[in-house]
Amino acid sequence: MTSTAPQQSSLDRPFVLDLFAGPGGLDVAAHTLDIPSFGIEWDKSACLTRYAAGLDTLHADVSAVRRDAFESLPPEINVLAGGPPCQTYSVAGHGAGREALEEVEKYIDRLMAGDSDEEIDRDLRKFSNDQRTGLILEPLRYAIQATRSPNRANRPYDVIVLEQVPTVEPVWEQYAKALRDKGLPDGTKYEVAFGVLATETYGVPQTRSRAVLIARRVGLGEPELPPPTHHAYEPKKWNQRNAPAESEVHQPTLDDDSPAPEAAEHPEKTNTDLKPWRSMGDVLHEPVGTRTKRFLVRSNYGSSGHPGRRGVRTDEQPAATVTGRISRFVVFEHLDERIVQEGARFTMNEAGILQSFPPDYPWSGTAQAQQVGNAVPPAFGMHLLGAALGLPVPDTEALHKPWTAATEEQRAKLRSHGCGDADTCTDRCPRAQDQKPPPSSRPRKKKASAD
């Protein structure tokens, strides 16, 4: 049950620094909880979305800010959050990912031992030509830098909140050991909780797993991962319950003019301790969304379904994981997949809703699908921040309310601060060509001969 009690925290005035902030998922979560935030993001289009949404932002490289402009950050910041780029750990535990993990463990030890930034940066350049490998260390480097900041009176962050894809969990485990057992070079230690969570169990209408870490400075209480509020989606049970006869694979289970299913019909309603997971229909059908008819969605990747229906979900199910490929998902407003509507796709606002963004969030710039897919789902972010700060279970229904976009004057002011000019990027902004990581230097395996 959602608490309506006044929000109280172990911190009197939380203020979030969001590294690798993207279009604003964690910031939307923070602001919905009435917590101020400040984001650093180097992608130009994501920054345009953030400015339009009224979010305080630096259009900058996270590493460069730490090296050259850390003292310019608001000194009141006491919560460090972020999700560093994860591509080099997408196969953590195997091959290149395992090698990267072993190297990162060594760098974590060196950072905690107090090695200089110059030495670390020099050796990182030798280790890899892909700077994303070093970016996984940035949250830890920010935590250390806070203890060396005259602007902060050398005050450490009180809370650290990190999230990424499940394969990054071994990295968070190394973070946990370092923060809990070794402590920062100044002696600050943290209590830590980490693990892999399913976002649909927090009211996000899609299946998406994330590796998370929550750390609190010793003396502020031991953190816990947020308790689930919704049932987990179990595709095998769903498919068993809804398996069509072989002759009916292409036949509609409901005609396309059928009304959206009532919540009482949801198969997971039997357990009153948890709410049912949210389906695409829950959030996209009227009056919340804009769709009036039942629909099917075919993603461009599989989802453990029946042969012939691989990658297909109905509006009664949560969406498949929303990634930058969401623009390729085909939406059928007939439950017979043979009836194809040319160009039927989710709008970017609908894709954002599947990520739990407000329905009118002002997506801007280019590559909007990638922005949506890379974002932290705000509903999930509310639960993470709430657990980290000791707040009551958040009311994520607030995310369905209209989002107050920035006025032109506000946008210009935000961009003037974030880019250095009210209307355009400046020399201090990251260059577009620098935002594309170099190709991996790891040789590819040769394909076996067809002979």
Side-chain angles (χ1 to χ4, degrees), residues 32-52:
T32 306
L33 293 170
D34 293 324
I35 297 170
S37 69
F38 185 90
I40 304 175
E41 172 56 41
W42 83 336
D43 180 75
K44 176 181 178 180
S45 290
C47 286
L48 292 178
T49 295
R50 294 178 61 85
Y51 298 145

Side-chain angles (χ1 to χ4, degrees), residues 114-296:
D115 280 17
S116 72
D117 284 336
E118 293 75 18
E119 291 176 315
I120 295 292
D121 288 338
R122 182 191 64 230
D123 292 346
L124 277 171
R125 286 193 292 269
K126 294 179 182 177
F127 164 54
S128 174
N129 72 347
D130 189 339
Q131 62 180 326
R132 294 171 301 183
T133 300
L135 291 178
I136 200 77
L137 297 168
E138 282 299 335
L140 184 57
R141 301 183 79 172
Y142 266 73
I144 294 171
Q145 190 66 28
T147 68
R148 300 169 177 169
S149 168
N151 193 38
R152 297 178 51 84
N154 302 336
R155 179 170 46 86
Y157 296 121
D158 293 318
V159 171
I160 301 172
V161 181
L162 305 175
E163 69 87 44
Q164 249 308 338
V165 295
T167 48
V168 175
E169 186 184 20
V171 178
W172 295 161
E173 182 177 8
Q174 295 306 314
Y175 260 66
K177 290 178 181 177
L179 293 168
R180 183 180 55 227
D181 301 335
K182 297 176 182 178
L184 303 180
D186 76 328
T188 301
K189 291 187 176 182
Y190 292 81
E191 300 285 357
V192 186
F194 69 94
V196 175
L197 304 177
T199 62
E200 83 271 13
T201 64
Y202 300 95
V204 180
Q206 65 169 297
T207 50
R208 182 187 192 102
S209 296
R210 307 303 283 177
V212 304
L213 177 146
I214 297 175
R216 282 191 202 157
R217 188 165 50 81
V218 169
L220 293 177
E222 188 169 347
E224 295 182 355
L225 298 180
T229 54
H230 293 66
H231 282 281
Y233 171 70
E234 299 182 55
K236 289 185 178 179
K237 287 186 178 181
W238 172 268
N239 290 330
Q240 289 169 359
R241 250 193 320 262
N242 297 276
E246 187 173 343
S247 61
E248 298 175 338
V249 166
H250 290 292
Q251 298 302 315
T253 54
L254 291 173
D255 66 58
D256 62 307
D257 289 320
S258 297
E262 297 293 332
E265 297 176 357
H266 197 293
E268 302 295 350
K269 273 287 189 179
T270 53
N271 187 334
T272 57
D273 293 334
L274 296 175
K275 298 177 183 179
W277 40 257
R278 304 205 70 178
S279 70
M280 291 183 280
D282 290 339
V283 296
L284 294 182
H285 282 303
E286 291 184 329
V288 180
T290 59
R291 294 190 176 268
T292 59
K293 296 181 179 181
R294 299 294 311 280
F295 60 87
L296 291 171

Side-chain angles (χ1 to χ4, degrees), residues 85-92 97 100-101 104 132-134 136 167-168 171:
C86 59
Q87 289 89 338
T88 48
Y89 304 93
S90 62
V91 287
L101 177 61
V104 166
R132 294 171 301 183
T133 300
I136 200 77
T167 48
V168 175
V171 178

